[in-house]
Each structure stands twice: as C-alpha cells, then as structure tokens.
Amino acid sequence: MIQFCGYFGKLTNCSCIEVKIWDLYWGLTIAFEKGYKDLSIETDSQYAIDMLKGNIEVTFPLRSIVGDSKFLIQRCGYSIQHVKREGNKSADILAKMGTNQNEVLVVMNDPPKEIRGQ
C-alpha cells in the first residue's frame, strides 16, 4: 500500500539552489524518520543532483547539509533522479503552498485537497 507523506514550508533569504538542497534534505530526513528504504527521490534541479553526487564542489553554507543528505542517500539505499518540473505537479503545488506559510516546515500524512487526484 502506498502511503502519502508530503511537506512544505517557507525559507527566506535563500538562493534557488539553497531552497532545492533544503527541500531534498527535508524529504530525505522525513523518509528516514518514517523508516522508508530504497526510495527513488526526484528533483527538477540537476545542479542539486550534481552537488549530491560530488560532481560540483559544495561551499559554505551548504557543505554540511549536502553531506548529511549524501549520508542519508547512502544509508537508506535511496536513488536520486532528475525530472522536469512539469513532471511533478504535486511537488510544484506543495512548493507554492510553502510561499503562503509562516512555518519553516509542515509535514502532512494526508494529501491536501489541492493535490488529490494529481
């Protein structure tokens, strides 16, 4: 049985790549805490994937969060792949929900009405 787990939140004063890395880190951390193994993680940021795979040098302030993300990917057997933004409408809707949110992170165990049926 497939279970839903989604999240969104608000980051301020971040570059686009910082937002992508935080997004991946939160997803990896939530999946780890829920005990999920062998997941396929999707992102529309090839640059973030290259950072996680060590193809691009990571500098401060992202060095530690990228390192923690790499650890979770290896420990839990996760794979990461690139998808076009249009290929994941649910993630795009959750990201937009985060812009209207005051909390840094909101985790949901049921899909919000905005993405049911996506």
Side-chain angles (χ1 to χ4, degrees):
M1 182 169 109
I2 297 175
Q3 294 181 341
F4 175 86
C5 179
Y7 60 96
F8 61 92
K10 185 167 189 161
L11 290 172
T12 57
N13 301 320
C14 291
S15 68
C16 183
I17 191 61
E18 286 174 303
V19 170
K20 296 293 185 180
I21 293 295
W22 274 106
D23 183 40
L24 287 166
Y25 173 75
W26 284 334
L28 291 166
T29 301
I30 292 165
F32 173 75
E33 289 174 354
K34 290 187 172 286
Y36 298 154
K37 303 282 184 191
D38 302 317
L39 292 178
S40 177
I41 309 297
E42 297 179 344
T43 179
D44 65 356
S45 176
Q46 184 63 51
Y47 195 82
I49 292 172
D50 288 341
M51 290 175 93
L52 292 170
K53 290 186 174 182
N55 299 336
I56 295 174
E57 181 181 351
V58 181
T59 58
F60 181 83
L62 295 176
R63 190 173 289 139
S64 64
I65 193 169
V66 168
D68 290 349
S69 297
K70 285 181 182 179
F71 173 79
L72 289 169
I73 289 169
Q74 292 171 348
R75 176 158 185 211
C76 299
Y78 299 152
S79 62
I80 188 164
Q81 62 186 5
H82 182 260
V83 294
K84 292 183 178 181
R85 179 175 289 168
E86 300 82 26
N88 194 344
K89 292 180 183 178
S90 296
D92 193 46
I93 290 168
L94 289 170
K96 288 176 182 170
M97 289 172 65
T99 62
N100 298 318
Q101 177 63 33
N102 291 327
E103 298 294 323
V104 173
L105 182 62
V106 175
V107 179
M108 302 169 301
N109 293 314
D110 294 307
K113 64 178 168 57
E114 293 87 349
I115 65 170
R116 288 187 194 121
Q118 290 291 324

